Amino acid sequence: MPAARPKMPPKPPRRKRGFEAASKLVAGHLRGPLEKRGFSEAKLITHWPEIVGEEIAASAMPVKIRHAHGGIGTTLVLLTTGGHAPLLEMQKDAIRQKVNACYGYNAVSKVQITQTAPTGFAEGQVQFTARPKQKPAPSPEVLQAAHAAAAPIHDERLKEALERLARNVLTKNSH
């Protein structure tokens, strides 16, 4: 009687060749928290500025999707500050149409605007977008080293790009 072969652990699922979109890689991790708030697709949260436009996205963000008790109709709840609420109130129909275009069907039947105070509890001002980080100015030594690294290049555009790259790398390594 031949000896039984030891059981091998199952192979991990084979990934596709090439690059995959980052949204596909994190979609599984986001599904649970988003479904608790009623969002069936992460696309509405992750691509909010592209869906409704930069102007609306700067003043409002989606908080949850509430389903009606009878099963007919859903309400998209948006959070904004008090000053933006009247402007968003006038654009509710356009927002609803843009969101439904994202889903590909009439997923949202109503848009509800929820206001928050213009000042938060601890931080002061409510912000929907992160402040851009200020980069420290590179030291004269870093500028000189970056210029020297790109000096042998004759193509001006390539030289400029390499000098900027060297400046960024040297700045990060010096901190």
Side-chain angles (χ1 to χ4, degrees), residues 48 51-52 56 76 78 85-101 106 108-113:
W48 181 245
I51 294 169
V52 295
I56 294 174
L76 171 64
L78 298 178
L87 298 172
L88 289 170
E89 192 69 36
M90 291 186 289
Q91 297 175 336
K92 281 184 357 181
D93 243 6
I95 294 170
R96 185 182 56 78
Q97 289 173 358
K98 289 177 182 181
V99 169
N100 285 337
N106 285 332
V108 174
S109 57
K110 254 176 60 175
V111 175
Q112 177 185 346
I113 310 295

Side-chain angles (χ1 to χ4, degrees), residues 129-142:
T129 57
R131 291 183 193 162
K133 293 183 179 179
Q134 297 292 334
K135 292 183 181 178
S139 67
E141 296 84 23
V142 168

Side-chain angles (χ1 to χ4, degrees), residues 17-144:
R17 296 184 190 271
F19 294 103
E20 289 185 52
S23 61
K24 288 183 181 178
L25 296 174
V26 297
H29 299 288
L30 292 176
R31 184 166 291 125
L34 290 175
E35 284 179 353
K36 286 181 183 177
R37 293 190 171 258
F39 295 105
S40 61
E41 290 189 38
K43 187 190 323 182
L44 187 63
I45 301 291
T46 59
H47 292 78
W48 181 245
E50 290 91 14
I51 294 169
V52 295
E54 293 291 333
E55 188 178 322
I56 294 174
S59 62
M61 64 183 198
V63 177
K64 65 181 171 182
I65 291 185
R66 208 174 32 225
H67 299 278
H69 292 291
I72 299 174
T74 57
T75 303
L76 171 64
V77 180
L78 298 178
L79 180 66
T80 187
T81 55
H84 295 287
L87 298 172
L88 289 170
E89 192 69 36
M90 291 186 289
Q91 297 175 336
K92 281 184 357 181
D93 243 6
I95 294 170
R96 185 182 56 78
Q97 289 173 358
K98 289 177 182 181
V99 169
N100 285 337
C102 165
Y103 279 109
Y105 65 99
N106 285 332
V108 174
S109 57
K110 254 176 60 175
V111 175
Q112 177 185 346
I113 310 295
T114 301
Q115 297 179 15
T116 184
T119 57
F121 296 109
E123 279 94 43
Q125 202 62 11
V126 174
Q127 289 191 340
F128 293 111
T129 57
R131 291 183 193 162
K133 293 183 179 179
Q134 297 292 334
K135 292 183 181 178
S139 67
E141 296 84 23
V142 168
L143 291 173
Q144 185 178 7

Side-chain angles (χ1 to χ4, degrees), residues 147-164:
H147 185 70
I153 308 299
H154 298 294
D155 183 5
E156 286 302 316
R157 287 179 51 202
L158 179 59
K159 184 177 188 175
E160 195 176 296
L162 288 173
E163 190 171 330
R164 189 170 47 247

